Amino acid sequence: MSKEIPIKMVKPEFLDFINYNICKAYSEIHGKEAAEEFFRHVGEIGFKELQKRIEFPSREPYDVLKRVGEFLEEMGYMAKIQLTKVADDEVIIEMFGVSVIESSMRLINEGASPSHIMTNLMFAALKELCGLRAEIEDLTLEQPSKETGYAKERWILKKL
């Protein structure tokens, strides 16, 4: 008689652990710029995979960014994401409870490149669906912490 083994959910701390190890190793072997390029490509591949899972009924940049954010929130990458459309070419993005905030801060402080999976997925989505790129300004008043996992950014959208 077989007994079913319950499947445990992956904890956010494990994602943070894996994120640090992968990003640190790639940055050490190939350098920070190559790592940034690699993770940008990871976002492009990820977006192609994402399009197989969810639909993007709108090509309006705000809607596209919001849909990617909703997916990441649903998957537990972050507790909450809030997007505010300021203008057709400007969006404020607030992230709460980001699962990889500790590893990302540590990687930046060590001169390595974090994966920025949310950013790179959104960059790929904007490029593919809207023909746009984004310039990001960090608006977080204080350094994000493990406790808050909070970050706030202004995204200025520009034609490719």
Side-chain angles (χ1 to χ4, degrees):
M1 185 173 213
S2 69
K3 187 176 183 180
E4 285 197 34
I5 300 172
I7 297 174
K8 291 185 178 183
M9 297 300 292
V10 174
K11 294 180 181 179
E13 296 85 4
F14 185 70
L15 292 176
D16 202 42
F17 174 78
I18 294 297
N19 185 63
Y20 177 80
N21 297 326
I22 291 170
C23 297
K24 183 69 171 179
Y26 200 94
S27 293
E28 284 181 356
I29 292 169
H30 300 287
K32 184 179 181 194
E33 283 94 27
E36 289 170 358
E37 187 176 318
F38 172 77
F39 293 125
R40 184 75 38 95
H41 190 60
V42 167
E44 291 168 355
I45 291 170
F47 181 66
K48 286 183 186 351
E49 291 300 309
L50 183 59
Q51 286 181 292
K52 295 174 187 176
R53 293 175 175 237
I54 65 172
E55 291 188 29
F56 288 86
S58 172
R59 297 298 186 255
E60 200 277 321
Y62 173 81
D63 294 335
V64 168
L65 293 173
K66 188 169 174 39
R67 188 66 190 109
V68 173
E70 289 168 350
F71 169 79
L72 292 170
E73 186 179 307
E74 289 166 15
M75 293 293 110
Y77 178 77
M78 65 187 77
K80 177 102 177 109
I81 186 165
Q82 184 174 321
L83 285 82
T84 305
K85 184 177 180 178
V86 178
D88 286 341
D89 65 346
E90 184 178 342
V91 178
I92 302 294
I93 300 178
E94 291 182 271
M95 298 152 275
F96 304 85
V98 178
S99 61
V100 296
I101 197 81
E102 187 176 356
S103 61
S104 295
M105 290 172 20
R106 185 173 169 200
L107 288 158
I108 290 167
N109 290 337
E110 293 174 358
S113 176
S115 64
H116 292 308
I117 191 66
M118 183 204 87
T119 301
N120 286 319
L121 272 175
M122 287 183 169
F123 278 2
L126 287 172
K127 179 180 176 182
E128 181 78 22
L129 299 180
C130 309
L132 297 172
R133 63 184 178 84
E135 292 179 3
I136 299 174
E137 178 186 350
D138 184 8
L139 299 178
T140 309
L141 296 177
E142 56 187 56
Q143 188 73 343
S145 69
K146 181 181 175 187
E147 292 75 32
T148 64
Y150 176 79
K152 182 177 182 180
E153 300 171 338
R154 173 183 288 124
W155 287 41
I156 305 296
L157 308 177
K158 301 187 176 198
K159 291 278 184 201
L160 287 173

